[in-house]
Amino acid sequence: MIRYAKPTSVDEALALLGEGAWRILAGGTDFYPAQGSKPFRDNVLDINGLAALRGMAETDDHFVIGARTTWTDIIRHSLPPAFDALKQAAREVGSAQIQNVASVAGNLCNASPAADGVPALLVLDAEVELRSVAATRHLPLQDFILGNRRTALLTGEMVTAIRVPKHAAQGTSAFVKLGARRYLVISIAMVAARLVVENDIVMEAAVAAGSCSVVARRLAGVEAALRGLPASEALANAVLAAPMDELSPIADVRGSAEYRLDAVREIVARAVLQACEPVNDHEVAAA
C-alpha cells in the first residue's frame, strides 16, 4: 500500500525516512513532470510543511541556504556580490511561477546536467548538508552529484541545507546561459564565474560550466590562466587560449558536441568579463 506523509518537523521526517524508502516531494516542479500519468508506486514524503528548512541564515563560518528555500527567496535576499551569479541563475529557473515554488535543494537532487543552480554554487565552493536519524554529514557539491539523475544521497538521508563557506563568498560573480530562446529553456551551455580582484589584478578565480559534461564542472585550467592577470579585456584572450579538459559534451536536439565546445568558451569569456563589472543587489533582483 502506498503511503503519503506530510511531517511538521525535521525530526519527524527523518524518523519516517529511517523506516523505509520514500520519494521526497518539495516544490514539485520536477517531481510531477517526472511522474507524468504513471500510477504512484513509491511512498511520498511531502516536506512542504517543514518551515525550518526554508530561508537563509549566516553563521560565523557559512551562509546557510535551507533545503526548501525557493529561487525567488534567493533573488530577494540581500547577499554579497559573490552570490550575484546564483541570483542571475535563479532568474533562469523556468518561469516566475516555478521560481516561487521550486527549491534550491530540489534542483541539486534532480541532478540534471542542465540544472541552472549548480555552476553558480560550484564557484562558491558550496557543500550539501545531509541528515539522517543517525548522523549529519557534509559533502562538497562536486562530490554530491555523481552523474545524470544520480547523487550520493544514502537511504534514510535527506538534504537539509546548502552551505557556502565565507572564505568562498568573496569577490564578484556572473552567470551566462545559452539557450535556444530567452526564457523557459533548457540550456545548451551555461557558465558561472567568480573573481576576487585586488589592485586591478585577479587574485582568485572560480569558473564552472554546465550542460557540457555529465555533471557541471569547475574549469581548473581556465582558473589558473586567469590568476595574476589584469582585470581587463585581456581576460577574454586568456579564456580563449586556456584548456578546458574537464568538458565532454554530448550531441542532442539542442546542439552538437562541437557547437557546445565552441559556445562554452565564448560564454566563459563573457561571464568572466561580466564578473569584473559587478551590479548591485537591487539590479540583480530586478533583472
Side-chain angles (χ1 to χ4, degrees):
M1 183 174 180
I2 303 305
R3 299 175 64 191
Y4 169 85
K6 189 173 184 180
T8 56
S9 72
V10 175
D11 287 342
E12 182 186 354
L14 295 177
L16 287 166
L17 286 171
E19 295 175 1
W22 297 81
R23 283 183 68 194
I24 295 178
L25 168 63
T29 57
D30 288 316
F31 183 99
Y32 289 113
Q35 184 66 32
S37 59
K38 302 188 296 291
F40 283 94
R41 300 190 183 279
D42 302 307
N43 297 328
V44 177
L45 185 67
D46 184 344
I47 65 168
N48 284 294
L50 303 184
L53 296 187
R54 183 169 179 182
M56 300 189 65
E58 189 174 343
T59 69
D60 289 342
D61 301 318
H62 293 86
F63 291 94
V64 182
I65 304 170
R68 285 192 53 245
T69 302
T70 69
W71 293 106
T72 297
D73 294 335
I74 294 291
I75 293 165
R76 292 177 175 173
H77 199 88
S78 180
L79 291 164
F83 285 84
D84 284 357
L86 186 62
K87 286 175 174 274
Q88 291 161 356
R91 281 292 188 192
E92 301 285 352
V93 180
S95 63
Q97 294 91 334
I98 289 175
Q99 293 159 19
N100 287 341
V101 294
S103 66
V104 177
N107 194 246
L108 306 186
C109 291
N110 194 44
S112 165
D116 291 314
V118 176
L121 287 168
L122 282 175
V123 301
L124 289 167
D125 290 345
E127 61 184 24
V128 181
E129 180 179 276
L130 304 167
R131 286 184 60 186
S132 68
V133 170
T136 298
R137 64 188 181 118
H138 299 99
L139 274 183
L141 177 56
Q142 60 191 6
D143 296 332
F144 175 70
I145 301 177
L146 303 179
N148 186 18
R149 314 296 179 181
R150 294 193 303 116
T151 72
L153 199 64
L154 301 177
T155 301
E157 284 186 329
M158 66 182 292
V159 175
T160 50
I162 297 94
R163 309 198 316 167
V164 174
K166 287 190 172 178
H167 69 76
Q170 306 296 317
T172 53
S173 67
F175 176 82
V176 176
K177 176 175 176 175
L178 173 65
R181 59 179 186 263
R182 180 65 183 88
Y183 295 109
L184 294 170
V185 64
I186 298 173
S187 65
I188 297 170
M190 56 184 163
V191 170
R194 180 177 63 86
L195 303 180
V196 176
V197 177
E198 296 177 6
N199 298 319
D200 291 327
I201 300 295
V202 176
M203 306 304 294
E204 296 180 31
V207 180
S211 287
C212 290
S213 46
V214 177
V215 298
R217 299 285 191 192
R218 286 276 294 266
L219 304 181
V222 174
E223 294 172 355
L226 295 174
R227 285 192 288 269
L229 294 181
S232 68
E233 293 289 332
L235 296 178
N237 294 329
V239 168
L240 296 177
M244 296 186 180
D245 299 334
E246 298 87 352
L247 303 183
S248 53
I250 63 168
D252 61 15
V253 294
R254 295 188 296 278
S256 68
E258 293 78 13
Y259 174 68
R260 278 187 164 92
L261 283 174
D262 288 341
V264 73
R265 195 173 289 276
E266 173 61 27
I267 64 173
V268 169
R270 294 183 189 183
V272 166
L273 292 179
Q274 287 180 27
C276 288
E277 301 175 356
V279 296
N280 64 43
D281 193 70
H282 171 74
E283 290 173 322
V284 174

